[in-house]
Amino acid sequence: NAGVTQTPKFQVLKTGQSMTLQCAQDMNHNSMYWYRQDPGMGLRLIYYSASEGTTDKGEVPNGYNVSRLNKREFSLRLESAAPSQTSVYFCASSEGGGPPLHFGNGTRLTVT
Amino acid sequence: RKEVEQDPGPFNVPEGATVAFNCTYSNSASQSFFWYRQDCRKEPKLLMSVYSSGNEDGRFTAQLNRASQYISLLIRDSKLSDSATYLCVVGMDSNYQLIWGAGTKLIIKP
């Protein structure tokens, strides 16, 4: 099993460009999450999806949109990237109401 | 005041020693508590949940002190492979919106 697959691993964007981060899990988990991690700070939740067909805002949703395409896939879109969105992004999944159990390898995004 | 605070370290500890670190949380209504570990430039991995009565998993012991609002992690007989950043995570009424500490860096030296 691959677990949680997240793409791309690295990305450099110019301010104003858009991009979509892809995430897929093969464990049949209901819950999926998008986090960002910045130096000296804890992970911060951007959006989560408790089950297929539902999405909810986390702590820092501004500037992002998500799509829970099906049970496997949960994508994160930056419509107009800003330097403040330079970060490492992690997708995660869990079963039911448990804590995030499986994480993707992360996407290192730089916005210039 | 941060909602979840951890000493960033690094804690430099010789192999075989016992090391402990704490994490304080500000919201007394917090219900769930976890420790994750994160290796350098890798994803976090769930190490253990923390239960009210305290719990142990091999060389790792987690404790919760609700009165003083902190959780602790103790590692016995430390191994080189224990070198990592340990993240304290606290939840309220669900595990969807958890609050993550910035982590404590542990370096085990031979």
Side-chain angles (χ1 to χ4, degrees):
Chain A
N1 283 345
V4 177
T5 303
Q6 189 180 331
T7 57
K9 284 188 171 18
F10 301 93
Q11 184 73 49
V12 179
L13 292 177
K14 293 188 190 308
T15 297
Q17 287 185 318
S18 62
M19 77 164 294
T20 300
L21 282 68
Q22 308 285 356
C23 176
Q25 50 93 8
D26 61 4
M27 295 163 289
N28 205 35
H29 283 167
N30 284 313
S31 306
M32 297 186 74
Y33 310 80
W34 276 106
Y35 289 95
R36 61 178 288 173
Q37 186 174 32
D38 300 295
M41 301 181 71
L43 271 72
R44 290 184 291 168
L45 182 66
I46 303 171
Y47 274 92
Y48 70 98
S49 170
S51 60
E52 184 180 356
T54 69
T55 61
D56 286 284
K57 293 179 180 179
E59 182 185 353
V60 288
N62 290 346
Y64 306 94
N65 285 302
V66 290
S67 296
R68 183 76 184 264
L69 304 168
N70 47 55
K71 194 170 186 180
R72 288 189 66 245
E73 298 171 287
F74 187 38
S75 62
L76 177 72
R77 182 159 178 84
L78 286 70
E79 290 291 351
S80 179
S84 61
Q85 294 177 305
T86 293
S87 188
V88 179
Y89 291 84
F90 288 104
C91 176
S93 73
S94 67
E95 183 49 54
L101 193 56
H102 296 277
F103 283 77
N105 291 336
T107 297
R108 295 184 180 277
L109 174 66
T110 301
V111 182
T112 61
Chain B
R1 182 184 170 191
K2 291 182 185 177
E3 293 186 71
V4 175
E5 289 202 70
Q6 296 184 253
D7 183 335
F11 285 51
N12 289 286
V13 174
E15 192 176 8
T18 295
V19 60
F21 26 83
N22 291 340
C23 159
T24 59
Y25 60 94
S26 61
N27 195 322
S28 61
S30 299
Q31 295 293 328
S32 56
F33 307 89
F34 309 95
W35 283 104
Y36 284 74
R37 70 168 279 165
Q38 185 173 26
D39 293 305
C40 189
R41 300 178 73 83
K42 299 284 191 181
E43 73 276 16
K45 294 182 180 176
L46 179 62
L47 182 64
M48 58 198 302
S49 302
V50 186
Y51 303 117
S52 297
S53 55
N55 48 297
E56 193 173 299
D57 183 1
R59 298 181 293 108
F60 297 82
T61 301
Q63 299 264 338
L64 167 63
N65 185 316
R66 285 193 185 274
S68 300
Q69 293 182 209
Y70 73 86
I71 66 172
S72 63
L73 180 68
L74 181 132
I75 306 174
R76 288 182 300 278
D77 187 24
S78 52
K79 313 288 185 195
L80 295 176
S81 58
D82 294 333
S83 296
T85 296
Y86 289 83
L87 309 175
C88 168
V89 185
V90 175
M92 293 288 291
D93 52 0
S94 81
N95 289 324
Y96 294 116
Q97 302 223 35
L98 301 173
I99 306 298
W100 295 68
T104 295
K105 186 170 184 177
L106 175 65
I107 300 172
I108 305 298
K109 303 203 164 189

